[in-house]
Amino acid sequence: MRYRLPPVQCPGVLAGAVVLLLLSAFSGGSSTSSGLPTRKISTRLARTKYGLLRGVILQQQPVEAFLGVPYATAPLGSLRYMPPVTPSMWKTPRLCDTFSPVCPQRAPSIGNRTEALLEFPRGRLVYLEKLLPLLANQSEDCLYMNIYVPQEADFDSASLPTVVYVHGESYEWNSGNPYDGSVLAAHGRLIVITLNFRLGILGE
C-alpha cells in the first residue's frame, strides 16, 4: 500500500499542543533504546518527490513514524557554510527507523550538580539531565526531520493539518530528536514534524 505525504502546512499552533509535545518528550512507558515506544517496521510506503519512505509503527500510540528523513544534502566540505541544498533522490525505498545524529553543538555543562544548581533552577536541571544524553551523537551530517503520522490516515482522500516543531535554546544547542510527536499526532489527528538544523557558527 502506498500513500502520499501531504504538503507541509503552517497553521497556528495552540499553546496546549506545544505543552503536550514537550510533556511527551520524556514521558515514561515501554520504550526502545532510541527513546521511542516499542515499534515495528511498517508495511506501507510513503511517496515523496525524492523517493519512497518506509517508517515504523509505534505500538504505544497508533502512529506511523518516519525517523531521520533527509530534507537537505549533508552540509559538508564546500557546502559547510552554504544555504541548504536539495537532497538527492533515492531509487529504492528508504527505511526511516532511526534518528539521525544531532548537529554539532556545545550544551550546558552540568557535570558538577552542586555548581549547576547555582546556575539553573532545580526543574531546569532535571530537564537537562534527561535531555543532554540524547545529544551525544553529533555530526555535521544532521539535516534530517522526523515525521509522526496518525496510522489510520488516508492521504488519498484527505490531507491533515501539520505542526512543524522548531526546537529552542537560542540556535546554540538542542535537537528535534528528543521531542516525541506521537502523542500529539495520535490525539490531535495531525502530522507532527520535528527537525534538526545547523547551530552556532555553522548555522550563522
Side-chain angles (χ1 to χ4, degrees):
M1 177 179 181
R2 296 181 181 178
Y3 59 90
R4 293 179 181 272
L5 289 177
V8 173
Q9 305 171 31
C10 296
V13 181
L14 297 176
V18 175
V19 170
L20 180 59
L21 179 64
L22 294 175
L23 289 176
S24 64
F26 306 110
S27 60
S30 174
S31 64
T32 64
S33 59
S34 69
L36 277 178
T38 306
R39 55 200 176 149
K40 65 177 182 179
I41 303 299
S42 174
T43 59
R44 304 196 295 181
L45 292 175
R47 184 182 301 276
T48 75
K49 65 185 296 184
Y50 303 111
L52 298 174
L53 300 176
R54 187 185 303 279
V56 291
I57 303 298
L58 305 185
Q59 301 298 291
Q60 194 169 356
Q61 302 290 341
V63 167
E64 193 164 350
F66 301 86
L67 308 176
V69 179
Y71 67 84
T73 299
L76 306 174
S78 61
L79 298 179
R80 176 165 289 146
Y81 297 106
M82 300 298 291
V85 175
T86 301
S88 301
M89 298 181 66
W90 50 87
K91 296 182 179 179
T92 59
R94 185 185 184 105
L95 180 59
C96 299
D97 65 338
T98 306
F99 289 117
S100 73
V102 306
C103 295
Q105 57 193 271
R106 179 176 295 178
S109 175
I110 59 171
N112 187 319
R113 202 169 195 277
T114 301
E115 291 185 1
L117 283 170
L118 298 176
E119 183 177 356
F120 304 108
R122 185 175 300 274
R124 172 70 167 170
L125 180 58
V126 171
Y127 168 78
L128 291 175
E129 288 174 338
K130 294 180 178 180
L131 175 63
L132 296 188
L134 304 178
L135 306 178
N137 181 23
Q138 301 183 14
S139 170
E140 287 190 57
D141 182 6
C142 62
L143 300 185
Y144 296 82
M145 59 184 174
N146 311 300
I147 308 172
Y148 301 86
V149 185
Q151 189 177 347
E152 77 281 1
D154 181 1
F155 299 122
D156 291 330
S157 60
S159 60
L160 296 177
T162 302
V163 171
V164 179
Y165 179 74
V166 180
H167 69 76
E169 306 304 346
S170 303
Y171 303 102
E172 292 294 327
W173 64 276
N174 209 346
S175 164
N177 292 355
Y179 301 95
D180 179 6
S182 63
V183 175
L184 182 55
H187 293 279
R189 201 173 183 277
L190 46 78
I191 295 171
V192 178
I193 297 176
T194 66
L195 70 158
N196 297 332
F197 50 88
R198 286 176 285 185
L199 304 164
I201 190 172
L202 295 176
E204 293 181 352

